[in-house]
């Protein structure tokens, strides 16, 4: 079972297909390109005179584009309902939508075209079957990528030095502040519980923020006043669903490369904002060694970028920016919530 664009399908059986999210920009673009590509191939195979090719392509556009756009729009509107259905029920509903659109368009364009409705109906259903087969094969091809991403999500996150430093920090305050030592062990337990859980489901952004706060509390046990954190939080963005372990590894990298090597205090800035249909997350830290910082961040950034692609396709991005005094990671992703 792979990470899916279909958020509510997580946890279904391995033998059942996964419906693409028809509200995803990448999915919509692929549907349009595949359908038009198949229609163009059909025209080329049917064409017998090169001089008539342009006219046949124009006729194909008249027959195909309007029902195709209407179908995609219908699936966009029905997206939430489709995701709540089983895979087979969703396919039946999609077939009904396609049939209804073909009948409607055939009735409207009957004066401009010739022939009955059976041929365009069969062609539309065959095209839909090819498109769904493509998404099914794409999902199967990405299953090994998911396994690698999940492995990296563990190996890249759990740095042995962090575990040892956290335990040393707890031991350092055990006698002077037993209550703080107990809290540190609870924070460490919560952090590792999150690291070990199944990472296929999206989680609320507020949970990721809480996890980061616990991580930062652990780091303060050993770094003390050297670690300063500046939060800028937008409450309207905290309900957004995001990939698990999205923030913590980036904040860990910021501390590891921007605070730990220095002798004086440094500030890690974390800004979270909602801008219309998008959530913007920016994490910045001081740059102490530019070459080492860039090399050390590559695995974590590639891993998160891959997971963003798996969850959101083309609707999310991860960008980095390095100035002389600061290194920034900026994530843009669509706002989706459980409501």
């Amino acid at each position: 079972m792979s990470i899916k664009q279909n958020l509510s399908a997580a946890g279904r059986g391995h033998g059942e297909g996964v419906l693409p999210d028809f509200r995803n920009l990448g999915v919509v673009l692929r549907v349009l390109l595949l359908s038009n590509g198949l229609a163009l191939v059909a025209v080329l195979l049917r064409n017998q005179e090169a001089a008539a090719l342009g006219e046949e392509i124009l006729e194909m556009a008249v027959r195909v584009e309007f029902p195709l756009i209407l179908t995609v729009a219908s699936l966009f509107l029905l997206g939430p309902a489709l995701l709540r259905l089983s895979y087979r029920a969703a396919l039946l509903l999609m077939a009904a939508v396609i049939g209804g659109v073909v009948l409607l368009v055939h009735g409207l364009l009957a004066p401009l075209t010739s022939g009955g409705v059976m041929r365009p109906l069969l062609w539309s259903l065959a095209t839909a079957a090819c498109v769904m087969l493509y998404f099914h094969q794409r999902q199967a091809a990405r299953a090994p990528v998911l396994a690698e991403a999940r492995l990296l999500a563990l190996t890249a996150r759990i740095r042995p030095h962090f575990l040892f430093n956290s335990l040393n920090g707890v031991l350092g305050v055990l006698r002077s502040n037993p209550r703080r030592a107990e809290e540190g062990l609870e924070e460490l337990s919560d952090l590792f519980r999150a690291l070990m859980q199944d990472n296929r489901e999206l989680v609320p952004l507020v949970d990721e923020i809480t996890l980061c706060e616990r991580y930062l509390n652990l780091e303060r046990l050993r770094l003390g006043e050297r670690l300063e954190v500046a939060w800028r939080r937008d409450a309207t963005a905290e309900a957004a669903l995001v990939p698990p372990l999205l923030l913590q590894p980036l904040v860990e990298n910021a501390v590891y490369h921007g605070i730990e090597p220095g002798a004086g205090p440094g500030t890690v800035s974390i800004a979270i904002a909602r801008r219309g249909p998008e959530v913007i997350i920016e994490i910045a830290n001081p740059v102490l060694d530019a070459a080492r910082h860039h090399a050390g961040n590559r695995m974590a950034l590639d891993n998160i970028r891959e997971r963003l692609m798996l969850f959101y396709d083309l609707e999310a991005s991860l960008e980095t920016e390095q100035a002389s005094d600061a290194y920034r990671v900026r994530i843009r992703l669509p706002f989706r919530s459980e409501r």
Side-chain angles (χ1 to χ4, degrees), residues 12-89:
R12 291 179 182 171
H14 291 258
E16 192 173 43
V18 175
L19 198 69
D21 180 4
F22 290 105
R23 293 196 166 192
N24 185 289
L25 176 61
V27 171
V28 171
L29 289 175
R30 287 180 174 88
V31 170
L32 294 175
L33 290 174
L34 285 169
S35 300
N36 280 287
L38 290 172
L40 183 59
V41 169
V43 170
L44 293 175
L45 292 176
R46 191 174 62 236
N47 175 256
Q48 297 180 350
E49 298 181 9
L53 182 59
E55 182 179 348
E56 292 178 0
I57 291 178
L58 181 60
E59 182 182 356
M60 177 272 293
V62 171
R63 292 176 175 272
V64 171
E65 296 307 322
F66 181 49
L68 175 59
I69 293 174
L70 189 57
T71 299
V72 170
S74 301
L75 294 177
F76 178 89
L77 294 175
L78 291 172
L82 289 170
L83 296 180
R84 288 193 293 267
L85 297 175
S86 67
Y87 184 67
R88 293 181 181 179

